Amino acid sequence: MFSLRLPEADGGAGLGLPEAVLVFEEVGAALVPGPLVATHLAAGVVPGAATGETVVAAADGRLVEWLDAADVVLPGAEGAVALRSVDPLTPLHRVPAPARSDPVAVLLTAAEQLGTAGRVCGLAVQHARTREQFGQPIGAFQAVKHLCAQLLVRVEVARAAVYAAAVTADPVDIAAARLLADEAAVRGARDCLQVHGGMGFTWESEVHLHLKRAWVRAQRGGGSTESEELLAADLVGGAV
C-alpha cells in the first residue's frame, strides 16, 4: 500500500495516483487506523516508510494524527498540544502554525472520505431493508427513502469528482473533489445514523465510528476553507 506509486526498480508497484485513490477509498470504508496518507507520501523519502516499518505522521493543517506513535513527523511538530479526539481510533495533537497542504494528501483524504460515504450508504440501505416497523421495512417509508436516495446521490457525485481529480491531478479539481467528498462522508454518516436510530450510537454498531472519523478527516489540511478559497481564486482569475 505505501509503496504503491514507487517504481518497480525501487521495490514499488509502479502504479499511479488513480490506483492509489482506489486503495485509499477501500481503506476509508474499512476504518483502517493510523497516519496512512502521511506514510504513503513518505515512501521513497523516509527509509522504512515504503514497507510500513517506519510510521510517518504529518503536521497537516493544524493537526497531527498519531504523533506519539510516529517514528518520523514531517515537517515537524514543535509545540504540539494533545487534544481529546472525538474519534477513539485517531489520537490528535494541535500544532501552532498550519503546514502547507500537499495536493496529493488532500486527494487521498478525499478518497478516504469517499470510502466512508460509500460504506455508510450501504449500511443505511441494508438497515432500511431489514428493520421493520408497523409490519413493514422502514425503507418503505418516504422519509427513509429520501435519506437513502440523497446518500447515494452524494456518493456518486463525489466519486465522479475524486476519480476525475486523480486523473488530472489539477489542484482546483482536487479542491472540488475534497469539498464534495467531505460533505458526502459527514452528511452521509449523519443520515446513516438517523436511519439506524439509537442503535447507531452503540459500540455494537460501526455507524458512529464512521461519523467520528469523517469529522476528524474533514479537519485535515485542504479542508473546507482552504479548498473553497482555492476554488474562489480560480473562478475570479478565470473571470478576469
Side-chain angles (χ1 to χ4, degrees):
M1 172 181 170
F2 300 122
S3 61
L4 190 71
R5 295 189 299 131
L6 287 181
E8 293 183 16
D10 296 331
L15 299 176
L17 194 53
E19 290 82 6
V21 160
L22 293 176
V23 170
F24 275 84
E25 181 182 350
E26 294 302 316
V27 165
L31 284 172
V32 178
L36 307 177
V37 172
T39 304
H40 174 85
L41 293 178
V45 178
V46 176
T51 59
E53 296 172 276
T54 301
V55 177
V56 181
D60 197 353
R62 290 188 179 273
L63 297 178
V64 186
E65 299 178 7
W66 292 90
L67 177 62
D68 292 338
D71 302 304
V72 177
V73 181
L74 300 174
E78 293 76 12
V81 178
L83 300 176
R84 183 176 179 180
S85 176
V86 67
D87 178 7
L89 298 179
T90 309
L92 295 173
H93 284 73
R94 183 181 297 279
V95 292
R100 185 176 180 180
S101 300
D102 182 331
V104 176
V106 176
L107 179 60
L108 294 181
T109 296
E112 288 183 299
Q113 293 285 62
L114 175 59
T116 288
R119 175 61 177 164
V120 295
C121 180
L123 290 172
V125 171
Q126 180 184 25
H127 187 73
R129 285 174 172 169
T130 56
R131 172 66 172 170
E132 292 190 359
Q133 286 285 357
F134 307 108
Q136 60 183 326
I138 62 173
F141 300 111
Q142 189 177 47
V144 178
K145 286 181 181 179
H146 284 179
L147 282 177
C148 292
Q150 290 164 1
L151 275 161
L152 180 60
V153 169
R154 286 194 293 266
V155 170
E156 294 306 320
V157 170
R159 175 172 286 118
V162 171
Y163 287 3
V167 174
T168 66
D170 181 82
V172 175
D173 291 345
I174 290 173
R178 175 65 186 277
L179 289 171
L180 290 167
D182 279 350
E183 180 186 26
V186 174
R187 291 189 61 182
R190 291 175 64 180
D191 286 351
C192 181
L193 196 62
Q194 184 74 18
V195 172
H196 280 73
M199 69 173 294
F201 290 94
T202 66
W203 289 108
E204 287 75 16
S205 170
E206 65 180 271
V207 178
H208 66 102
L209 296 176
H210 284 288
L211 177 56
K212 293 169 182 175
R213 183 67 59 84
W215 275 336
V216 169
R217 289 199 206 104
Q219 299 305 311
R220 289 181 188 167
S224 59
T225 301
E226 186 176 339
S227 289
E228 286 166 354
E229 289 179 350
L230 180 57
L231 284 172
D234 181 72
L235 288 171
V236 171
V240 174

